[in-house]
Amino acid sequence: MGNFDWQYVIDGAAALYGLYVLMSALKMKATGEISSFVASPEEMNKCKRKKEFAKMVSAKMIVFGLVTFLFGISNIINEIFWKNIMYNIASLGVFLLVCGLFIMFLRKSRAEYLGV
């Protein structure tokens, strides 16, 4: 098989995951139904203000999904054309920051609306 650059696979998976999160958020925003990405069916039954929770979380999921998608795509482009290591480090830092903020926000929202 020779030298295969697994970075393409990792970046592609990140881009696809970002696209999945983005589509889940848009569907959640349109329907007002909570996605299984955010809460299990048992937890959804506990939520009394589902539409408010879905609206609030979907906005943050859109941002997280876009950042994750752009992270994957931009790193693939960087690997193909520039191979700039500092760009990879900076983009990873931005991705990890947004990921940490999203997790913090999601935990706070789940505690408030789902009592988890």
Side-chain angles (χ1 to χ4, degrees), residues 14-32:
L16 289 175
Y17 181 70
L19 198 58
Y20 168 73
V21 172
L22 184 60
M23 291 297 129
S24 293
L26 292 174
K27 181 180 175 188
M28 197 164 76
K29 187 173 187 170
T31 63

Side-chain angles (χ1 to χ4, degrees), residues 3-70:
N3 287 338
F4 182 74
D5 193 357
W6 286 97
Q7 191 65 38
Y8 294 121
V9 175
I10 293 167
D11 293 334
L16 289 175
Y17 181 70
L19 198 58
Y20 168 73
V21 172
L22 184 60
M23 291 297 129
S24 293
L26 292 174
K27 181 180 175 188
M28 197 164 76
K29 187 173 187 170
T31 63
E33 292 294 316
I34 301 170
S35 170
S36 60
F37 176 80
V38 177
S40 69
E42 295 83 23
E43 292 170 334
M44 287 186 243
N45 291 334
K46 295 178 187 177
C47 186
K48 299 194 184 343
R49 302 178 294 170
K50 290 181 182 179
K51 292 207 185 280
E52 289 176 33
F53 180 64
K55 183 179 177 184
M56 185 173 67
V57 171
S58 65
K60 305 297 189 218
M61 281 176 64
I62 289 171
V63 171
F64 176 67
L66 277 173
V67 168
T68 305
F69 177 73
L70 292 174

Side-chain angles (χ1 to χ4, degrees), residues 1 11 13 27 30 34 37 39 54 58-59 66 70 74 77 83 96-97 99 101 105:
M1 191 164 162
D11 293 334
K27 181 180 175 188
I34 301 170
F37 176 80
S58 65
L66 277 173
L70 292 174
S74 69
I77 292 169
K83 298 184 186 334
L96 291 175
L97 176 67
C99 190
L101 290 172
F105 169 78

